[in-house]
Structures are given as C-alpha cells and as structure tokens.
Amino acid sequence: MASKFGSSTAVSSCLFLALLLETVGAASLSYNGLAQTPQMGWDTYNAYALAYNESTILTNAERLVSLGFRDLGYRVVIFDDAMTELNRSANGTLIANAAKFPSGLQSIANQLHDYGLYFGVYSSAGKYTCGGYPGSLGYETQDAAWWASMGADYLKYDNCYNEGLSGTPKLSQDRYAAMSNALNSTGRDFVYSLCNWGDDKPWEWASTIANSARISGDIQDSFSMPTTSCPCGPDEYYCQLPGYGCSVMNILGKASSIRSKNQAGYYNDLDMLEVGNGGMSYDEYKVHFSMWAAIKSPLIMGNKLDQLSPEDYAILTNPAVLAISQDPSVSAVSRTVTQQVDDKDAWGFGEVQVWQGSLSNGDQVVAFLNAGNNSRTMSYSLVDVFGGLRTNTNAQKSWDLFDVWGNHTVMSTEVAAQVLNGTLAVGNATGYYNASETTWATGLNQSNPLLIGTPAGTVQGGGTLQAEVPRHGIQMWRLRQAGGSGKKRDEL
Ligand code: GAL
C-alpha cells in the first residue's frame, strides 16, 4: 500500500517494455499501477462481523498508528459489510449508516487520512451485500462516485446476491469489470480487491481488472478443523461451493494449486488474518502469518487491536516475515512436498509440507510446515531446493541460513507488552522496523539484519537443511549465498 500511487507506464514497443522491466522489475504489470507489493491493512469483519461503528473504527485506527502498524505498511482500514442504511436514497445514492457513524462517513474518512491511513469501503457485485444491505450491481458508476467523493482509496467487492450472473468466467469477469471501469472513471486511485471466493477461477482473469481476488470461502479462526459449511477439501482447488468456515490448512491446500497471475499489482487473496482472535495456538498463528506472507496474499488483519496479546503483536510486526511479503520480486512460494503422517490431530488432519521460492537479490525462502500432531525433525536437501538436479550450480553453492522467527527479529514478549501497555514508544522497541522511514526494498538492499533474520548457520553445497519443527508449527528460513552480500551479481 505504500506504493498505492505508483506509476503506470504506457509502452510503445516490445524493446522498450523489455528495457523497462529490466529497470523497474515487474512493477509496470499492475493493471492500475497500484499495490506493487501485497496490500496490508485492517478490516472489521473477522472480529466484529456486522457489528462495528465509528468508535470501533477510530479505536482500531488509533492503534494502527500508535502500535506502529501503519509504519509497517498496514495502512488501509476497511469498513466491511453493513456500512450503509438498508435502503438507497430516492435518487439511488447509498446512504451512510447514521446509527453507526453519527459523525458521518466523510468526517471519519478525513480522520483516517489525517492519521496517514487509507479509507477502504465494501460492497457486493450483486443486488444486496451478504448482510442484506444494498449491493452495487447496476449502480457501479453511482456508487464509485459516492465513495470517491468521500476520498475512499480501496474497495472490497463481494459476490452475494449476484442474480445468477456467475457460472462462467465471462459472466463473473463482466460483472467485476463493470466496477473496475467505474472506479477508474472516478479519476481517483482505488486499490480494487475482488471477493468472489474463487468462483469462476478469478486467478485466470482478474489480474487485468483488479489488484487481488479471493481464492476460497471465508476463513475461520482454526488451524485444521473441517466444517460442513466449507465443503471442499484442501485438495479441491476449484470449488463450486466455496462456503465459509475454512481452516488455515484448508485454504493453504487450495492455494498450493493456484500459481497463475500472482504478480506485482495482482495477488491471490487467502482471506483476512485471524492472528489475535484466540482460536489458534502461538505456533499455529506463526504458520498462518508466515504462509500468507510467503504466498504474497494481502495481509489484512481482522482482530481487535485494543485487545492484542504480546505474542500476537510480536507475530504481526515480525520484520523478517513482512520483508518476505513485501519483497520487490513479488514471487510467491510454491509447495514442493506434501506427505501424510500417522500422527493426526483431533480433526483427523496430519501432513508435513515444504514450501519454497525465490526472493530478490538471489535469496531463497524455504518453509518446513509440520501439520502433524507431534514435533518432528524435518530435512530437505539443497538439491531438492534447486529442482532436484544434483548438477544445479546453486545446489552446489553454500548458503547462509537466516531464521525469520529467530530472536534477532521477533519482538520479545516483554518488549511487546511494554509497547502495548504504553510504557515504551514503539519507535524505541527492539525488533521494530519502520518501513515508512526506510522502505522494505531499501532495507533489503542494505541487508538490514531485522529484515534478513537471525543467522542460523551455513549449509554447504550439496548439503541438507534440517530442523526440529514443533507440532502445528513452522520453520522458515531466508537462504543467502554464503560469502555474498545479497547484492545482485552485477553489483558484486
Ligand atoms: C463474505 C466475505 C467476507 C465478508 C462477509 C460480509 O462473503 O467473504 O469476507 O466480507 O461476506 O458479510
């Protein structure tokens, strides 16, 4: 979101495009020039459902600033479902919900902007929103103009009551493109976040009209619990009944098959974060947060920021994990190993997985995910990291390992508690990184230790990565060529 107002560039020839891409990386691929790295922010829905109001918004907005979330990049505050009255005005304009927002939406929007935050709104590409409030189907231009007049910066656009206009990619794309065009015609920059739960495979068509699209039914605050409301299992990546109540492992399973079109300015959205809502253990929330970051999902918190525990605060502010999310390469990890294990949890779930990918400046990321019911030793060779070919030159090099959850980078519980209780300013907290002062890209180029992670040894060429991984836990490393500075080859 720091790059919300990034540039879009017209190109006149393939040669120029090639030169441009070499210069600015993948940045010009974004359909509207916005969200050059995955969007970050906070949304009302996971913690408050439809029962939020002005004071909820302003309390959480104040915490975004005072706890340093804004300066990590969590900048958009999204008013989810139920922000309007149940009826439109006589001329069809949406009306802000007067009981919820006595000061008026405009005044709240102004306060958010004064805080240096963005104002996010919600509607549905249907007759009604999921909560039964007016939807924007057929009112795209009018609604976009209303949001723009109040200075909105972001739209989350749902799929309820869509009048049967789904079932083929064209039907869905046309419906969502109507709003994309309406937003563009306001002349205001809107980050556009589709929320059609993976219906009609938006990962195949939405990158030309939007900045992100949900790939699954709604998340629930659980690691692996199956529910009948989320009928498709983790291996059914394309689901006719996306539902709701989907666990972290269910959504990760779906995400593992969807690689296409994730690029600067367009992201597969695994749904909002549950960290801080109490349904998962510390290790499970670390899995959830790490994997959402490494897959380049938008990172939209969905918790009560005035009730955060020190542990959850330390997770959400972990600079080495956020540096992977906001890495300029915008390259998502993929799953290379999935293996059933005998030690299933109470829900009958038990798997180990390895995910890996590349980062800017030649760094790599490797994650061992132990979704078994006991802690275990996991290992994976460099040859496997680099495609299984023993002759691969990268596999023959030595790599320094950096633990992104090591104690150099995660804020300690004591420090986190002091910031939360107001006895320590976040800017003075060990383990805090201010990305407003120094962008993620610059910090990475400078090899800021907070962003790289805690040194965890070197694996020699042809060697093996190994770690003891807790139950429902993760070991995630950044790998950097040993002896290198992390700079591009032509800078060495
Ligand atoms: C769902 C959506 C949720 C939330 C909810 C509001 O369709 O996936 O994220 O917006 O509607 O009613």
Side-chain angles (χ1 to χ4, degrees), residues 199-442:
D199 237 12
D200 296 327
K201 305 183 185 172
W203 48 90
E204 290 179 355
W205 48 261
S207 64
T208 55
I209 60 166
N211 297 108
S212 59
R214 283 268 299 278
I215 62 154
S216 76
D218 291 9
I219 193 170
Q220 71 178 354
D221 189 12
S222 101
F223 186 74
S224 57
M225 185 177 82
T227 60
T228 50
S229 61
C230 179
C232 298
D235 298 322
E236 294 169 84
Y237 90 105
Y238 182 53
C239 182
Q240 297 289 353
L241 285 170
Y244 55 92
C246 302
S247 69
V248 161
M249 291 312 299
N250 178 287
I251 295 174
L252 276 182
K254 290 168 180 162
S256 68
S257 316
I258 300 170
R259 298 278 303 137
S260 49
K261 301 293 176 7
N262 215 335
Q263 62 193 35
Y266 180 77
Y267 310 100
N268 293 315
D269 180 354
L270 277 59
D271 203 0
M272 297 168 294
L273 297 168
E274 293 283 7
V275 180
N277 287 332
M280 290 184 240
S281 70
Y282 176 63
D283 281 322
E284 291 170 342
Y285 277 145
K286 279 168 65 179
V287 172
H288 174 28
F289 187 63
S290 305
M291 293 310 304
W292 263 231
I295 292 175
K296 273 37 179 195
S297 171
L299 295 179
I300 307 291
M301 296 186 288
N303 48 4
K304 298 185 178 176
L305 295 175
D306 55 347
Q307 293 174 31
L308 262 182
S309 71
E311 289 78 8
D312 293 333
Y313 180 48
I315 290 175
L316 291 162
T317 54
N318 181 328
V321 173
L322 289 170
I324 290 173
S325 156
Q326 300 297 303
D327 188 273
S329 71
V330 196
S331 168
V333 288
S334 36
R335 193 170 75 182
T336 48
V337 173
T338 330
Q339 196 181 309
Q340 295 289 314
V341 292
D342 291 337
D343 49 322
K344 310 284 185 203
D345 63 18
W347 311 112
F349 194 89
E351 273 180 13
V352 291
Q353 305 183 356
V354 177
W355 294 71
Q356 64 180 83
S358 53
L359 299 166
S360 55
N361 295 345
D363 288 358
Q364 307 286 318
V365 55
V366 175
F368 289 173
L369 199 176
N370 175 14
N373 207 33
N374 298 309
S375 75
R376 55 174 25 83
T377 304
M378 291 177 66
S379 49
Y380 198 57
S381 71
L382 276 182
V383 170
D384 286 331
V385 170
F386 292 105
L389 273 182
R390 201 163 291 282
T391 50
N392 183 298
T393 50
N394 276 323
Q396 295 312 322
K397 291 175 183 153
S398 297
W399 292 82
D400 291 333
L401 302 182
F402 296 88
D403 182 351
V404 299
W405 288 103
N407 55 11
H408 283 202
T409 53
V410 189
M411 201 184 280
S412 73
T413 310
E414 294 71 30
V415 168
Q418 287 172 344
V419 178
L420 289 173
N421 69 24
T423 54
L424 177 69
V426 66
N428 298 329
T430 320
Y432 178 72
Y433 182 77
N434 187 323
S436 296
E437 279 173 3
T438 310
T439 64
W440 297 108
T442 303

Side-chain angles (χ1 to χ4, degrees), residues 45 50 80-81 122 130-131 156 158 195 197 214 218 272:
Y45 185 68
L50 275 45
D80 209 292
D81 202 349
Y122 161 98
C130 303
K156 171 177 173 179
D158 216 329
C195 175
W197 325 308
R214 283 268 299 278
D218 291 9
M272 297 168 294

